Amino acid sequence: MEIVYHFDTASAALRACDNGNVVTGSVLVIASDCIVGLASNPPRAITARTGPFKPFFGTSRSAILTESRHSAEQIRAAVDEAYRQGFPVPEALADFATLRSEMSACAREYRLTSDEILALVEACEARSTEFWNTLGQAGADSSAARILQAGIENLSAARRKLLDRPL
């Protein structure tokens, strides 16, 4: 199991790596910048957003392992953490992610398959349509109008979030 460090800023994570305050190969999370990286000198970015971290330039799993001092297990832990945080990961690094079938039951709770996301989007659309129809029948002046409109807005926001998350 890899160590995961959380930092408020990327510069704080850089300082920790430079000062040896983090274990090399551990996962660095800077949630405010949507960055996940691996501790080394310099740290390596796992997410699409790299900030001051060095990105991986390889376009295949073997090329990434050749260019990196990090093991496949360390990269996998960081990629899984990036997905858990909901941050986009470059396609070449996505190959390192733990397969859903290999995850523990607890880890599966945090990751949805593309089919599950599409099913949820369709359910949001169906419920939203149902609310619009009910609102049309009840009228904008009815006591339920505010509740239905709030429900429609919540469903729309949920749909956007689902479609914006990396698959």
Side-chain angles (χ1 to χ4, degrees), residues 48-99:
R49 288 180 125 179
T50 60
F53 297 172
K54 183 178 177 183
F56 286 95
F57 296 108
T59 56
S60 69
R61 184 181 175 93
S62 60
I64 290 169
L65 288 171
T66 300
E67 81 174 85
S68 173
R69 292 180 292 202
H70 298 288
S71 68
E73 292 77 22
Q74 290 171 335
I75 296 171
R76 173 181 270 193
V79 168
D80 287 349
E81 182 63 24
Y83 281 137
R84 194 181 75 67
Q85 296 285 333
F87 302 156
V89 173
E91 194 169 326
L93 290 171
D95 288 342
F96 286 91
T98 301
L99 295 175

Side-chain angles (χ1 to χ4, degrees), residues 1-164:
M1 180 97 181
E2 298 300 321
I3 300 170
V4 179
Y5 295 96
H6 293 264
F7 294 93
D8 292 331
T9 64
S11 59
L14 281 172
R15 279 192 304 277
C17 288
D18 289 342
N19 297 336
N21 295 335
V22 294
V23 176
T24 299
S26 59
V27 179
L28 310 172
V29 177
I30 303 92
S32 61
D33 294 330
C34 301
I35 297 172
V36 172
L38 283 169
S40 58
N41 205 350
R44 301 300 294 259
I46 292 296
T47 49
R49 288 180 125 179
T50 60
F53 297 172
K54 183 178 177 183
F56 286 95
F57 296 108
T59 56
S60 69
R61 184 181 175 93
S62 60
I64 290 169
L65 288 171
T66 300
E67 81 174 85
S68 173
R69 292 180 292 202
H70 298 288
S71 68
E73 292 77 22
Q74 290 171 335
I75 296 171
R76 173 181 270 193
V79 168
D80 287 349
E81 182 63 24
Y83 281 137
R84 194 181 75 67
Q85 296 285 333
F87 302 156
V89 173
E91 194 169 326
L93 290 171
D95 288 342
F96 286 91
T98 301
L99 295 175
R100 185 172 168 78
S101 61
E102 296 173 359
M103 291 180 172
S104 70
C106 294
R108 279 195 296 270
E109 290 180 25
Y110 291 105
R111 187 175 303 166
L112 298 172
T113 67
S114 57
D115 288 341
E116 290 168 333
I117 290 173
L118 292 174
L120 289 169
V121 167
E122 289 175 5
C124 286
E125 290 172 354
R127 181 57 64 109
S128 183
T129 300
E130 184 180 317
F131 283 5
W132 276 112
N133 292 338
T134 304
L135 182 61
Q137 292 169 357
D141 296 334
S142 75
S143 60
R146 282 188 324 166
I147 295 169
L148 290 168
Q149 287 171 338
I152 290 167
E153 289 172 16
N154 285 338
L155 288 166
S156 177
R159 182 182 180 279
R160 273 193 310 277
K161 286 179 183 177
L162 285 167
L163 291 174
D164 287 344

